[in-house]
Amino acid sequence: MISGSQCRAAPALVEVTRAKLSLRSGVFEDAIRDFERKVDNPNDRGIEALQAALEELGAVFIPENGGGIGVRLKFTAAEARQIERLEGEGGIVANDRVP
């Protein structure tokens, strides 16, 4: 399940207002606001509805993976093709770190 912080960040990424998110998810705007501000949590069903609505709009939620939770946008089809093309180019395998 997503956190309040993820719920606050995702609408900005997918460019949706709290009012529109409320309509799409069926969760009251006040409940979304309180969840984003960590004042109160909706019930599990409400959080799942928020997550589903945001995922439909293009958000991808990143679970705790040792580096913290997060949210990002889905790749577009063009971006996915570009990544696939670049991954198939070959070349020298090296450390990705920039000194």
Side-chain angles (χ1 to χ4, degrees):
M1 250 188 283
I2 64 173
S3 71
S5 297
Q6 287 173 304
C7 187
R8 185 174 56 250
L13 288 173
V14 298
E15 299 179 7
V16 67
T17 64
R18 194 177 288 140
K20 289 182 182 178
L21 179 57
S22 175
L23 287 173
R24 290 185 74 108
S25 67
V27 178
F28 291 117
E29 281 185 67
D30 292 343
I32 296 170
R33 185 194 65 238
D34 289 347
F35 182 47
E36 291 173 348
R37 294 179 181 174
K38 300 179 185 177
V39 173
D40 194 15
N41 285 342
N43 60 31
D44 288 351
R45 192 170 172 197
I47 295 173
E48 290 169 1
L50 288 168
Q51 182 171 347
L54 290 163
E55 286 173 341
E56 286 175 14
L57 292 166
V60 176
F61 294 98
I62 303 165
E64 174 58 55
N65 59 6
I69 60 171
V71 61
R72 69 169 180 81
L73 287 174
K74 288 181 185 176
F75 290 121
T76 64
E79 291 168 331
R81 283 192 302 274
Q82 179 71 4
I83 291 168
E84 186 177 303
R85 185 183 66 75
L86 292 172
E87 286 178 342
E89 283 187 348
I92 299 171
V93 177
N95 189 343
D96 290 343
R97 290 187 178 190
V98 177

